[in-house]
Amino acid sequence: MGTSLKPANIEMPAPPRPNPRPDPRPDPRPMPDPNHADCRGVASVLSRVGDKWSVFVIMMLSDGPKRFNELKRMINGISQRMLTLTLRGLERDGLVTRTIFPTIPPRVDYELTELGHGLSRPVEALGKWAKDHLDRIEAARTKFDQRNDG
């Protein structure tokens, strides 16, 4: 006869398995701190703001509205697709507005919102800091690479 391959007793829930060795110690994982409940939200904003292309777009738009192709020419190395995705993400986050003018062909301008202008100041400060310290950072990288290549 052998073993039947048809499922049996499928209406009955399986009883919970007992823990073979109950641990009398409390759960070592700490309870989530209610003061850190917004960390995920902050992380998502920082991932947008920390994206290199977003930083460049914000810097280029800080002095006024620009058209798509103008931005593409100003930001060396960005592809059309990446610029489109970056602008769409910045628009979604309320940092950039997109204005379509009813001309033939349609003209589209991108501009920082008030929120975006508020972000442009720290972004520009970060860019200035990077430019001012580039020589020291490159020297530290070279020293690190020489020390770790051998």
Side-chain angles (χ1 to χ4, degrees):
M1 286 257 164
T3 304
S4 171
L5 297 177
K6 292 182 181 177
N9 297 323
I10 58 174
E11 286 83 26
M12 296 177 58
R17 292 185 178 183
N19 189 347
R21 291 182 290 170
D23 191 350
R25 296 175 295 176
D27 188 350
R29 295 173 294 178
M31 292 295 292
D33 186 339
N35 296 325
H36 298 266
D38 59 350
C39 285
R40 283 191 179 163
V42 170
S44 73
V45 171
L46 290 177
S47 70
R48 164 77 57 223
V49 174
D51 174 273
K52 76 174 182 177
W53 298 122
S54 294
V55 168
F56 283 128
V57 168
I58 290 165
M59 288 173 60
M60 296 302 124
L61 292 175
S62 65
D63 62 346
K66 305 275 185 305
R67 296 177 76 173
F68 184 91
N69 284 329
E70 188 178 3
L71 284 169
K72 188 163 177 345
R73 280 191 302 274
M74 294 172 80
I75 303 171
N76 191 23
I78 192 167
S79 69
Q80 183 167 335
R81 174 169 167 67
M82 187 50 65
L83 181 55
T84 299
L85 292 173
T86 301
L87 287 166
R88 191 173 295 153
L90 291 170
E91 184 180 6
R92 180 175 183 256
D93 289 348
L95 302 170
V96 168
T97 59
R98 179 177 184 258
T99 305
I100 303 170
F101 295 94
T103 60
I104 298 177
R107 184 178 129 205
V108 179
D109 282 356
Y110 295 91
E111 185 174 13
L112 290 179
T113 62
E114 183 182 339
L115 188 61
H117 276 291
L119 177 61
S120 71
R121 292 177 194 94
V123 164
E124 286 178 22
L126 180 60
K128 182 181 179 335
W129 180 89
K131 186 176 178 183
D132 292 348
H133 295 89
L134 187 59
D135 293 341
R136 291 176 60 190
I137 292 169
E138 287 176 348
R141 288 175 179 169
T142 301
K143 185 178 177 182
F144 179 89
D145 292 345
Q146 288 171 346
R147 189 175 63 233
N148 289 300
D149 283 345

